[in-house]
Amino acid sequence: MLLLAACSAAGADPAAQQAGASQASQTEQAEQVEDRAEPASSPEAQQRVVSTTVAITQMLDALEVELVGVPTSSKTLPARYDQVTRIGNPMSPDMELVKSLKPTEILSVTTLEYDLKPVFEAAGMQADFLNLTSVESMNHALQKLGETYGKQAQAQAIIDRFEQKVTEIHTATADKNKPSVLILLGVPGSYLVATEHSYIGDLVRLAGGVNIVKGENVEFLASNTEYLQQSNPDVILRAAHGMPEEVVKMFDKEFQKNDIWKHFSAVQNGRVYDLEEALFGTTGNLYAVDAIDTLMGMLYP
C-alpha cells in the first residue's frame, strides 16, 4: 500500500505530499499510544466478565477488574460499576441479557451451583462457581482471581489482612473458655440452623466459638428446638436475610410465642444477638475482618 501511495503521489504537488506524510505520522503515533494503553495480551483486554453476586462484585472491585455485567440488588454496588448493565437477581439472572453481553466468563458461587448450573448450560453458557463458604476458601478464590486477571498484588493484600486478623484472634482467645454457639439463619417465613460448614459458622469458629451442631456435611439444617435446647448454647446468633427487618420481627415473635426458648441459658442471660446483614452474608465477602471483630464482642463480652 505504501508503494502504491508513493507511485500515485509521484506527480502530486509538494504541499499535498507533506500533508499526507504528516497525517500518516499522526496515525502511526495514535496507534502506538493505543498499543501502549492496552496491550492485546493483557487479561482485561481479552475478558468480558459478568459477576452475578454482590460479594463477587465487591471482590472484583477491590482487585480493580472491569465488568460488563453486575447483579441487580438493593445493596449499593461499587461506584466503578455505576454504568454497567444490571443482569438480574443473583438467584435468577436474566439469561438472555447475560448472553447478549457476550461474556468470556460468568462468576457465581457454589451455594447456587445446584440451581444455576443447568440453567446456564441450557442457555449455552458456562459459569464458574466460586467457593465462598469459608474465609480460607475465599482466600483461594481471591488468589485465583488475581492470577486470572493479573491482579496478584491486590489479591495478596486482601488475603494478608484476613490472615493477620485470624492470627490475632487465635492469640487473643488461646487461654479463654470457648463459648458454645447456636446460629439461626432467618429468611421471610422460616429459619434454619447454620452448621460449622456455613460461612457464618466459619466466622464463629475463627472467632473462638464452638458450634453446637457437629458432624454434618451441609451448611444448614432444619430447626428442632427440643434438640437445640438440650445442647443449651451459651450464645444464640440470629442472622436475618432477604428482608432483614421482617425476619427480625419473625424471630422476636418466635422467641416470645414459643415457650421452649425461655429455657435456653442464652435467652435467660441476655446473650441473644442479631447479626447485621451487611457484615454477615450467606457467603464470604470483604467484610470478614469487621464481622470477626463484631463476633468477638458477642462471644467474649
Side-chain angles (χ1 to χ4, degrees):
M1 290 178 63
L2 290 175
L3 289 173
L4 289 172
C7 289
S8 63
D13 113 4
Q17 291 181 5
Q18 183 175 358
S22 175
Q23 184 176 3
S25 176
Q26 291 174 4
T27 301
E28 183 178 356
Q29 290 176 6
E31 288 175 348
Q32 290 174 352
V33 169
E34 185 176 347
D35 287 342
R36 289 197 300 270
E38 185 175 38
S41 59
S42 71
E44 287 189 272
Q46 300 174 12
Q47 296 287 346
R48 291 181 57 81
V49 185
V50 171
S51 169
T52 67
T53 79
V54 174
I56 293 175
T57 303
Q58 292 170 339
M59 290 165 61
L60 291 172
D61 174 56
L63 297 181
E64 301 176 330
V65 175
E66 300 302 327
L67 301 173
V68 297
V70 295
T72 304
S73 175
S74 58
K75 297 179 181 178
T76 302
L77 298 181
R80 180 190 305 274
Y81 308 124
D82 282 349
Q83 304 305 315
V84 175
T85 301
R86 267 51 178 171
I87 53 89
N89 187 287
M91 293 178 286
S92 56
D94 185 326
M95 293 296 161
E96 289 301 319
L97 185 55
V98 173
K99 195 169 186 177
S100 72
L101 296 174
K102 299 179 180 179
T104 56
E105 188 165 21
I106 303 168
L107 299 174
S108 183
V109 290
T110 54
T111 50
L112 297 175
E113 184 172 5
Y114 179 82
D115 294 317
L116 289 183
K117 185 176 181 179
V119 179
F120 277 114
E121 290 178 347
M125 296 180 288
Q126 183 175 351
D128 290 327
F129 295 90
L130 307 184
N131 184 349
L132 304 182
T133 58
S134 69
V135 172
E136 182 179 4
S137 63
M138 179 169 59
N139 285 345
H140 290 158
L142 279 165
Q143 187 175 42
K144 180 180 177 182
L145 290 173
E147 293 170 354
T148 300
Y149 304 116
K151 306 290 185 177
Q152 291 94 331
Q154 293 93 324
Q156 193 58 52
I158 300 171
I159 293 170
D160 289 345
R161 182 168 175 256
F162 289 159
E163 292 182 343
Q164 180 181 354
K165 174 55 62 176
V166 171
T167 300
E168 290 175 2
I169 297 300
H170 283 170
T171 302
T173 61
D175 299 325
K176 295 184 178 181
N177 292 326
K178 297 183 182 299
S180 57
V181 183
L182 164 63
I183 310 167
L184 301 176
L185 176 72
V187 294
S190 64
Y191 61 91
L192 299 169
V193 177
T195 74
E196 57 190 346
H197 295 293
S198 67
Y199 172 63
I200 298 179
D202 186 59
L203 290 178
V204 167
R205 179 185 65 82
L206 292 175
V210 178
N211 198 313
I212 65 169
V213 181
K214 297 182 178 298
E216 299 292 341
N217 295 321
V218 294
E219 294 180 67
F220 303 100
L221 295 171
S223 175
N224 181 323
T225 50
E226 292 184 3
Y227 166 77
L228 298 177
Q229 199 276 324
Q230 291 173 6
S231 301
N232 203 19
D234 299 314
V235 178
I236 297 177
L237 303 176
R238 309 190 311 188
H241 286 274
M243 301 174 66
E245 293 183 3
E246 180 180 323
V247 173
V248 170
K249 291 178 181 178
M250 177 197 72
F251 272 135
D252 288 340
K253 185 176 180 180
E254 163 68 15
F255 274 57
Q256 293 168 4
K257 183 179 178 181
N258 192 339
D259 287 341
I260 197 169
W261 292 107
K262 298 177 182 178
H263 300 287
F264 281 72
S265 295
V267 176
Q268 296 169 356
N269 297 328
R271 300 194 67 187
V272 179
Y273 304 99
D274 289 314
L275 304 180
E276 184 182 352
E277 185 185 24
L279 290 182
F280 297 91
T282 53
T283 65
N285 56 73
L286 296 184
Y287 297 111
V289 169
D290 296 327
I292 293 175
D293 282 337
T294 300
L295 283 176
M296 286 293 291
M298 298 172 178
L299 302 186
Y300 302 97

mmCIF file with all atom_site columns, all heavy atoms in Angstrom, residues 120-142:
data_model
loop_
_atom_site.group_PDB
_atom_site.id
_atom_site.type_symbol
_atom_site.label_atom_id
_atom_site.label_alt_id
_atom_site.label_comp_id
_atom_site.label_asym_id
_atom_site.label_entity_id
_atom_site.label_seq_id
_atom_site.pdbx_PDB_ins_code
_atom_site.Cartn_x
_atom_site.Cartn_y
_atom_site.Cartn_z
_atom_site.occupancy
_atom_site.B_iso_or_equiv
_atom_site.pdbx_formal_charge
_atom_site.auth_seq_id
_atom_site.auth_comp_id
_atom_site.auth_asym_id
_atom_site.auth_atom_id
_atom_site.pdbx_PDB_model_num
ATOM 1   N N   . PHE A 1 120 ? -27.677 -22.177 33.210 1.00 0.00 ? 120 PHE A N   1
ATOM 2   C CA  . PHE A 1 120 ? -26.665 -21.586 32.338 1.00 0.00 ? 120 PHE A CA  1
ATOM 3   C C   . PHE A 1 120 ? -26.360 -22.510 31.159 1.00 0.00 ? 120 PHE A C   1
ATOM 4   O O   . PHE A 1 120 ? -26.227 -22.061 30.018 1.00 0.00 ? 120 PHE A O   1
ATOM 5   C CB  . PHE A 1 120 ? -25.380 -21.300 33.124 1.00 0.00 ? 120 PHE A CB  1
ATOM 6   C CG  . PHE A 1 120 ? -25.396 -20.017 33.888 1.00 0.00 ? 120 PHE A CG  1
ATOM 7   C CD1 . PHE A 1 120 ? -25.373 -20.017 35.277 1.00 0.00 ? 120 PHE A CD1 1
ATOM 8   C CD2 . PHE A 1 120 ? -25.430 -18.801 33.222 1.00 0.00 ? 120 PHE A CD2 1
ATOM 9   C CE1 . PHE A 1 120 ? -25.383 -18.832 35.992 1.00 0.00 ? 120 PHE A CE1 1
ATOM 10  C CE2 . PHE A 1 120 ? -25.444 -17.603 33.922 1.00 0.00 ? 120 PHE A CE2 1
ATOM 11  C CZ  . PHE A 1 120 ? -25.424 -17.622 35.316 1.00 0.00 ? 120 PHE A CZ  1
ATOM 12  N N   . GLU A 1 121 ? -26.246 -23.794 31.442 1.00 0.00 ? 121 GLU A N   1
ATOM 13  C CA  . GLU A 1 121 ? -25.931 -24.747 30.375 1.00 0.00 ? 121 GLU A CA  1
ATOM 14  C C   . GLU A 1 121 ? -27.051 -24.814 29.348 1.00 0.00 ? 121 GLU A C   1
ATOM 15  O O   . GLU A 1 121 ? -26.787 -24.920 28.145 1.00 0.00 ? 121 GLU A O   1
ATOM 16  C CB  . GLU A 1 121 ? -25.671 -26.124 30.980 1.00 0.00 ? 121 GLU A CB  1
ATOM 17  C CG  . GLU A 1 121 ? -24.359 -26.193 31.771 1.00 0.00 ? 121 GLU A CG  1
ATOM 18  C CD  . GLU A 1 121 ? -24.124 -27.546 32.403 1.00 0.00 ? 121 GLU A CD  1
ATOM 19  O OE1 . GLU A 1 121 ? -25.076 -28.356 32.438 1.00 0.00 ? 121 GLU A OE1 1
ATOM 20  O OE2 . GLU A 1 121 ? -22.986 -27.801 32.867 1.00 0.00 ? 121 GLU A OE2 1
ATOM 21  N N   . ALA A 1 122 ? -28.287 -24.740 29.803 1.00 0.00 ? 122 ALA A N   1
ATOM 22  C CA  . ALA A 1 122 ? -29.427 -24.760 28.874 1.00 0.00 ? 122 ALA A CA  1
ATOM 23  C C   . ALA A 1 122 ? -29.410 -23.537 27.962 1.00 0.00 ? 122 ALA A C   1
ATOM 24  O O   . ALA A 1 122 ? -29.905 -23.586 26.827 1.00 0.00 ? 122 ALA A O   1
ATOM 25  C CB  . ALA A 1 122 ? -30.734 -24.825 29.657 1.00 0.00 ? 122 ALA A CB  1
ATOM 26  N N   . ALA A 1 123 ? -28.830 -22.437 28.462 1.00 0.00 ? 123 ALA A N   1
ATOM 27  C CA  . ALA A 1 123 ? -28.753 -21.206 27.669 1.00 0.00 ? 123 ALA A CA  1
ATOM 28  C C   . ALA A 1 123 ? -27.480 -21.170 26.826 1.00 0.00 ? 123 ALA A C   1
ATOM 29  O O   . ALA A 1 123 ? -27.193 -20.175 26.159 1.00 0.00 ? 123 ALA A O   1
ATOM 30  C CB  . ALA A 1 123 ? -28.804 -19.991 28.593 1.00 0.00 ? 123 ALA A CB  1
ATOM 31  N N   . GLY A 1 124 ? -26.702 -22.266 26.868 1.00 0.00 ? 124 GLY A N   1
ATOM 32  C CA  . GLY A 1 124 ? -25.478 -22.337 26.072 1.00 0.00 ? 124 GLY A CA  1
ATOM 33  C C   . GLY A 1 124 ? -24.309 -21.589 26.668 1.00 0.00 ? 124 GLY A C   1
ATOM 34  O O   . GLY A 1 124 ? -23.386 -21.171 25.945 1.00 0.00 ? 124 GLY A O   1
ATOM 35  N N   . MET A 1 125 ? -24.326 -21.409 27.996 1.00 0.00 ? 125 MET A N   1
ATOM 36  C CA  . MET A 1 125 ? -23.240 -20.683 28.663 1.00 0.00 ? 125 MET A CA  1
ATOM 37  C C   . MET A 1 125 ? -22.684 -21.527 29.807 1.00 0.00 ? 125 MET A C   1
ATOM 38  O O   . MET A 1 125 ? -23.363 -22.410 30.325 1.00 0.00 ? 125 MET A O   1
ATOM 39  C CB  . MET A 1 125 ? -23.752 -19.348 29.212 1.00 0.00 ? 125 MET A CB  1
ATOM 40  C CG  . MET A 1 125 ? -24.216 -18.376 28.135 1.00 0.00 ? 125 MET A CG  1
ATOM 41  S SD  . MET A 1 125 ? -24.804 -16.799 28.825 1.00 0.00 ? 125 MET A SD  1
ATOM 42  C CE  . MET A 1 125 ? -26.367 -17.300 29.564 1.00 0.00 ? 125 MET A CE  1
ATOM 43  N N   . GLN A 1 126 ? -21.454 -21.234 30.168 1.00 0.00 ? 126 GLN A N   1
ATOM 44  C CA  . GLN A 1 126 ? -20.816 -21.938 31.273 1.00 0.00 ? 126 GLN A CA  1
ATOM 45  C C   . GLN A 1 126 ? -20.369 -20.932 32.313 1.00 0.00 ? 126 GLN A C   1
ATOM 46  O O   . GLN A 1 126 ? -19.691 -19.955 31.998 1.00 0.00 ? 126 GLN A O   1
ATOM 47  C CB  . GLN A 1 126 ? -19.618 -22.748 30.794 1.00 0.00 ? 126 GLN A CB  1
ATOM 48  C CG  . GLN A 1 126 ? -18.951 -23.569 31.892 1.00 0.00 ? 126 GLN A CG  1
ATOM 49  C CD  . GLN A 1 126 ? -17.838 -24.452 31.347 1.00 0.00 ? 126 GLN A CD  1
ATOM 50  O OE1 . GLN A 1 126 ? -17.678 -24.580 30.139 1.00 0.00 ? 126 GLN A OE1 1
ATOM 51  N NE2 . GLN A 1 126 ? -17.075 -25.054 32.243 1.00 0.00 ? 126 GLN A NE2 1
ATOM 52  N N   . ALA A 1 127 ? -20.753 -21.164 33.563 1.00 0.00 ? 127 ALA A N   1
ATOM 53  C CA  . ALA A 1 127 ? -20.374 -20.264 34.654 1.00 0.00 ? 127 ALA A CA  1
ATOM 54  C C   . ALA A 1 127 ? -19.324 -20.914 35.541 1.00 0.00 ? 127 ALA A C   1
ATOM 55  O O   . ALA A 1 127 ? -19.257 -22.142 35.651 1.00 0.00 ? 127 ALA A O   1
ATOM 56  C CB  . ALA A 1 127 ? -21.609 -19.894 35.472 1.00 0.00 ? 127 ALA A CB  1
ATOM 57  N N   . ASP A 1 128 ? -18.496 -20.098 36.167 1.00 0.00 ? 128 ASP A N   1
ATOM 58  C CA  . ASP A 1 128 ? -17.549 -20.568 37.173 1.00 0.00 ? 128 ASP A CA  1
ATOM 59  C C   . ASP A 1 128 ? -18.144 -20.262 38.544 1.00 0.00 ? 128 ASP A C   1
ATOM 60  O O   . ASP A 1 128 ? -18.572 -19.126 38.800 1.00 0.00 ? 128 ASP A O   1
ATOM 61  C CB  . ASP A 1 128 ? -16.201 -19.856 37.031 1.00 0.00 ? 128 ASP A CB  1
ATOM 62  C CG  . ASP A 1 128 ? -15.462 -20.290 35.776 1.00 0.00 ? 128 ASP A CG  1
ATOM 63  O OD1 . ASP A 1 128 ? -15.607 -21.465 35.394 1.00 0.00 ? 128 ASP A OD1 1
ATOM 64  O OD2 . ASP A 1 128 ? -14.764 -19.450 35.182 1.00 0.00 ? 128 ASP A OD2 1
ATOM 65  N N   . PHE A 1 129 ? -18.182 -21.257 39.419 1.00 0.00 ? 129 PHE A N   1
ATOM 66  C CA  . PHE A 1 129 ? -18.801 -21.098 40.735 1.00 0.00 ? 129 PHE A CA  1
ATOM 67  C C   . PHE A 1 129 ? -17.700 -21.056 41.795 1.00 0.00 ? 129 PHE A C   1
ATOM 68  O O   . PHE A 1 129 ? -17.003 -22.043 42.018 1.00 0.00 ? 129 PHE A O   1
ATOM 69  C CB  . PHE A 1 129 ? -19.784 -22.239 40.993 1.00 0.00 ? 129 PHE A CB  1
ATOM 70  C CG  . PHE A 1 129 ? -20.962 -22.232 40.059 1.00 0.00 ? 129 PHE A CG  1
ATOM 71  C CD1 . PHE A 1 129 ? -20.918 -22.913 38.845 1.00 0.00 ? 129 PHE A CD1 1
ATOM 72  C CD2 . PHE A 1 129 ? -22.106 -21.513 40.370 1.00 0.00 ? 129 PHE A CD2 1
ATOM 73  C CE1 . PHE A 1 129 ? -21.989 -22.896 37.973 1.00 0.00 ? 129 PHE A CE1 1
ATOM 74  C CE2 . PHE A 1 129 ? -23.182 -21.484 39.504 1.00 0.00 ? 129 PHE A CE2 1
ATOM 75  C CZ  . PHE A 1 129 ? -23.140 -22.177 38.306 1.00 0.00 ? 129 PHE A CZ  1
ATOM 76  N N   . LEU A 1 130 ? -17.565 -19.897 42.435 1.00 0.00 ? 130 LEU A N   1
ATOM 77  C CA  . LEU A 1 130 ? -16.529 -19.699 43.431 1.00 0.00 ? 130 LEU A CA  1
ATOM 78  C C   . LEU A 1 130 ? -16.988 -20.211 44.797 1.00 0.00 ? 130 LEU A C   1
ATOM 79  O O   . LEU A 1 130 ? -18.130 -19.980 45.208 1.00 0.00 ? 130 LEU A O   1
ATOM 80  C CB  . LEU A 1 130 ? -16.173 -18.212 43.544 1.00 0.00 ? 130 LEU A CB  1
ATOM 81  C CG  . LEU A 1 130 ? -15.794 -17.491 42.252 1.00 0.00 ? 130 LEU A CG  1
ATOM 82  C CD1 . LEU A 1 130 ? -15.382 -16.053 42.558 1.00 0.00 ? 130 LEU A CD1 1
ATOM 83  C CD2 . LEU A 1 130 ? -14.671 -18.217 41.524 1.00 0.00 ? 130 LEU A CD2 1
ATOM 84  N N   . ASN A 1 131 ? -16.095 -20.878 45.497 1.00 0.00 ? 131 ASN A N   1
ATOM 85  C CA  . ASN A 1 131 ? -16.401 -21.381 46.829 1.00 0.00 ? 131 ASN A CA  1
ATOM 86  C C   . ASN A 1 131 ? -16.096 -20.280 47.850 1.00 0.00 ? 131 ASN A C   1
ATOM 87  O O   . ASN A 1 131 ? -14.930 -19.974 48.127 1.00 0.00 ? 131 ASN A O   1
ATOM 88  C CB  . ASN A 1 131 ? -15.566 -22.630 47.119 1.00 0.00 ? 131 ASN A CB  1
ATOM 89  C CG  . ASN A 1 131 ? -15.920 -23.258 48.466 1.00 0.00 ? 131 ASN A CG  1
ATOM 90  O OD1 . ASN A 1 131 ? -16.634 -22.669 49.275 1.00 0.00 ? 131 ASN A OD1 1
ATOM 91  N ND2 . ASN A 1 131 ? -15.424 -24.452 48.710 1.00 0.00 ? 131 ASN A ND2 1
ATOM 92  N N   . LEU A 1 132 ? -17.156 -19.704 48.422 1.00 0.00 ? 132 LEU A N   1
ATOM 93  C CA  . LEU A 1 132 ? -17.003 -18.639 49.414 1.00 0.00 ? 132 LEU A CA  1
ATOM 94  C C   . LEU A 1 132 ? -17.633 -19.046 50.742 1.00 0.00 ? 132 LEU A C   1
ATOM 95  O O   . LEU A 1 132 ? -18.160 -18.214 51.483 1.00 0.00 ? 132 LEU A O   1
ATOM 96  C CB  . LEU A 1 132 ? -17.645 -17.337 48.914 1.00 0.00 ? 132 LEU A CB  1
ATOM 97  C CG  . LEU A 1 132 ? -17.166 -16.804 47.558 1.00 0.00 ? 132 LEU A CG  1
ATOM 98  C CD1 . LEU A 1 132 ? -17.859 -15.491 47.237 1.00 0.00 ? 132 LEU A CD1 1
ATOM 99  C CD2 . LEU A 1 132 ? -15.654 -16.633 47.529 1.00 0.00 ? 132 LEU A CD2 1
ATOM 100 N N   . THR A 1 133 ? -17.581 -20.345 51.064 1.00 0.00 ? 133 THR A N   1
ATOM 101 C CA  . THR A 1 133 ? -18.234 -20.845 52.273 1.00 0.00 ? 133 THR A CA  1
ATOM 102 C C   . THR A 1 133 ? -17.356 -20.725 53.511 1.00 0.00 ? 133 THR A C   1
ATOM 103 O O   . THR A 1 133 ? -17.794 -21.060 54.615 1.00 0.00 ? 133 THR A O   1
ATOM 104 C CB  . THR A 1 133 ? -18.666 -22.312 52.102 1.00 0.00 ? 133 THR A CB  1
ATOM 105 O OG1 . THR A 1 133 ? -17.508 -23.109 51.781 1.00 0.00 ? 133 THR A OG1 1
ATOM 106 C CG2 . THR A 1 133 ? -19.688 -22.453 50.992 1.00 0.00 ? 133 THR A CG2 1
ATOM 107 N N   . SER A 1 134 ? -16.129 -20.271 53.344 1.00 0.00 ? 134 SER A N   1
ATOM 108 C CA  . SER A 1 134 ? -15.240 -20.062 54.491 1.00 0.00 ? 134 SER A CA  1
ATOM 109 C C   . SER A 1 134 ? -14.222 -19.000 54.103 1.00 0.00 ? 134 SER A C   1
ATOM 110 O O   . SER A 1 134 ? -14.048 -18.673 52.925 1.00 0.00 ? 134 SER A O   1
ATOM 111 C CB  . SER A 1 134 ? -14.524 -21.362 54.869 1.00 0.00 ? 134 SER A CB  1
ATOM 112 O OG  . SER A 1 134 ? -13.583 -21.716 53.868 1.00 0.00 ? 134 SER A OG  1
ATOM 113 N N   . VAL A 1 135 ? -13.554 -18.456 55.110 1.00 0.00 ? 135 VAL A N   1
ATOM 114 C CA  . VAL A 1 135 ? -12.519 -17.452 54.841 1.00 0.00 ? 135 VAL A CA  1
ATOM 115 C C   . VAL A 1 135 ? -11.375 -18.082 54.054 1.00 0.00 ? 135 VAL A C   1
ATOM 116 O O   . VAL A 1 135 ? -10.832 -17.479 53.124 1.00 0.00 ? 135 VAL A O   1
ATOM 117 C CB  . VAL A 1 135 ? -12.008 -16.835 56.147 1.00 0.00 ? 135 VAL A CB  1
ATOM 118 C CG1 . VAL A 1 135 ? -10.800 -15.939 55.890 1.00 0.00 ? 135 VAL A CG1 1
ATOM 119 C CG2 . VAL A 1 135 ? -13.116 -16.031 56.833 1.00 0.00 ? 135 VAL A CG2 1
ATOM 120 N N   . GLU A 1 136 ? -11.014 -19.317 54.400 1.00 0.00 ? 136 GLU A N   1
ATOM 121 C CA  . GLU A 1 136 ? -9.934  -19.991 53.687 1.00 0.00 ? 136 GLU A CA  1
ATOM 122 C C   . GLU A 1 136 ? -10.275 -20.205 52.216 1.00 0.00 ? 136 GLU A C   1
ATOM 123 O O   . GLU A 1 136 ? -9.450  -19.939 51.330 1.00 0.00 ? 136 GLU A O   1
ATOM 124 C CB  . GLU A 1 136 ? -9.627  -21.334 54.347 1.00 0.00 ? 136 GLU A CB  1
ATOM 125 C CG  . GLU A 1 136 ? -8.466  -22.079 53.691 1.00 0.00 ? 136 GLU A CG  1
ATOM 126 C CD  . GLU A 1 136 ? -8.144  -23.402 54.361 1.00 0.00 ? 136 GLU A CD  1
ATOM 127 O OE1 . GLU A 1 136 ? -8.877  -23.785 55.296 1.00 0.00 ? 136 GLU A OE1 1
ATOM 128 O OE2 . GLU A 1 136 ? -7.164  -24.058 53.947 1.00 0.00 ? 136 GLU A OE2 1
ATOM 129 N N   . SER A 1 137 ? -11.478 -20.689 51.941 1.00 0.00 ? 137 SER A N   1
ATOM 130 C CA  . SER A 1 137 ? -11.871 -20.914 50.547 1.00 0.00 ? 137 SER A CA  1
ATOM 131 C C   . SER A 1 137 ? -11.996 -19.594 49.796 1.00 0.00 ? 137 SER A C   1
ATOM 132 O O   . SER A 1 137 ? -11.685 -19.519 48.601 1.00 0.00 ? 137 SER A O   1
ATOM 133 C CB  . SER A 1 137 ? -13.188 -21.694 50.476 1.00 0.00 ? 137 SER A CB  1
ATOM 134 O OG  . SER A 1 137 ? -14.256 -20.964 51.049 1.00 0.00 ? 137 SER A OG  1
ATOM 135 N N   . MET A 1 138 ? -12.423 -18.534 50.500 1.00 0.00 ? 138 MET A N   1
ATOM 136 C CA  . MET A 1 138 ? -12.483 -17.220 49.862 1.00 0.00 ? 138 MET A CA  1
ATOM 137 C C   . MET A 1 138 ? -11.085 -16.731 49.505 1.00 0.00 ? 138 MET A C   1
ATOM 138 O O   . MET A 1 138 ? -10.881 -16.140 48.435 1.00 0.00 ? 138 MET A O   1
ATOM 139 C CB  . MET A 1 138 ? -13.180 -16.217 50.778 1.00 0.00 ? 138 MET A CB  1
ATOM 140 C CG  . MET A 1 138 ? -13.254 -14.807 50.198 1.00 0.00 ? 138 MET A CG  1
ATOM 141 S SD  . MET A 1 138 ? -14.351 -13.690 51.112 1.00 0.00 ? 138 MET A SD  1
ATOM 142 C CE  . MET A 1 138 ? -13.598 -13.729 52.741 1.00 0.00 ? 138 MET A CE  1
ATOM 143 N N   . ASN A 1 139 ? -10.114 -16.990 50.366 1.00 0.00 ? 139 ASN A N   1
ATOM 144 C CA  . ASN A 1 139 ? -8.730  -16.620 50.054 1.00 0.00 ? 139 ASN A CA  1
ATOM 145 C C   . ASN A 1 139 ? -8.231  -17.330 48.802 1.00 0.00 ? 139 ASN A C   1
ATOM 146 O O   . ASN A 1 139 ? -7.543  -16.740 47.960 1.00 0.00 ? 139 ASN A O   1
ATOM 147 C CB  . ASN A 1 139 ? -7.817  -16.951 51.234 1.00 0.00 ? 139 ASN A CB  1
ATOM 148 C CG  . ASN A 1 139 ? -7.969  -15.963 52.383 1.00 0.00 ? 139 ASN A CG  1
ATOM 149 O OD1 . ASN A 1 139 ? -8.549  -14.884 52.209 1.00 0.00 ? 139 ASN A OD1 1
ATOM 150 N ND2 . ASN A 1 139 ? -7.467  -16.325 53.540 1.00 0.00 ? 139 ASN A ND2 1
ATOM 151 N N   . HIS A 1 140 ? -8.595  -18.610 48.677 1.00 0.00 ? 140 HIS A N   1
ATOM 152 C CA  . HIS A 1 140 ? -8.205  -19.361 47.480 1.00 0.00 ? 140 HIS A CA  1
ATOM 153 C C   . HIS A 1 140 ? -8.862  -18.763 46.232 1.00 0.00 ? 140 HIS A C   1
ATOM 154 O O   . HIS A 1 140 ? -8.227  -18.658 45.170 1.00 0.00 ? 140 HIS A O   1
ATOM 155 C CB  . HIS A 1 140 ? -8.614  -20.828 47.619 1.00 0.00 ? 140 HIS A CB  1
ATOM 156 C CG  . HIS A 1 140 ? -7.798  -21.572 48.630 1.00 0.00 ? 140 HIS A CG  1
ATOM 157 N ND1 . HIS A 1 140 ? -8.223  -22.728 49.242 1.00 0.00 ? 140 HIS A ND1 1
ATOM 158 C CD2 . HIS A 1 140 ? -6.562  -21.329 49.141 1.00 0.00 ? 140 HIS A CD2 1
ATOM 159 C CE1 . HIS A 1 140 ? -7.304  -23.150 50.087 1.00 0.00 ? 140 HIS A CE1 1
ATOM 160 N NE2 . HIS A 1 140 ? -6.289  -22.312 50.039 1.00 0.00 ? 140 HIS A NE2 1
ATOM 161 N N   . ALA A 1 141 ? -10.133 -18.365 46.366 1.00 0.00 ? 141 ALA A N   1
ATOM 162 C CA  . ALA A 1 141 ? -10.843 -17.763 45.231 1.00 0.00 ? 141 ALA A CA  1
ATOM 163 C C   . ALA A 1 141 ? -10.203 -16.430 44.849 1.00 0.00 ? 141 ALA A C   1
ATOM 164 O O   . ALA A 1 141 ? -10.032 -16.125 43.661 1.00 0.00 ? 141 ALA A O   1
ATOM 165 C CB  . ALA A 1 141 ? -12.316 -17.570 45.589 1.00 0.00 ? 141 ALA A CB  1
ATOM 166 N N   . LEU A 1 142 ? -9.837  -15.638 45.848 1.00 0.00 ? 142 LEU A N   1
ATOM 167 C CA  . LEU A 1 142 ? -9.184  -14.356 45.580 1.00 0.00 ? 142 LEU A CA  1
ATOM 168 C C   . LEU A 1 142 ? -7.847  -14.557 44.874 1.00 0.00 ? 142 LEU A C   1
ATOM 169 O O   . LEU A 1 142 ? -7.517  -13.829 43.928 1.00 0.00 ? 142 LEU A O   1
ATOM 170 C CB  . LEU A 1 142 ? -8.964  -13.605 46.893 1.00 0.00 ? 142 LEU A CB  1
ATOM 171 C CG  . LEU A 1 142 ? -10.155 -12.835 47.452 1.00 0.00 ? 142 LEU A CG  1
ATOM 172 C CD1 . LEU A 1 142 ? -9.913  -12.456 48.902 1.00 0.00 ? 142 LEU A CD1 1
ATOM 173 C CD2 . LEU A 1 142 ? -10.432 -11.594 46.614 1.00 0.00 ? 142 LEU A CD2 1
#
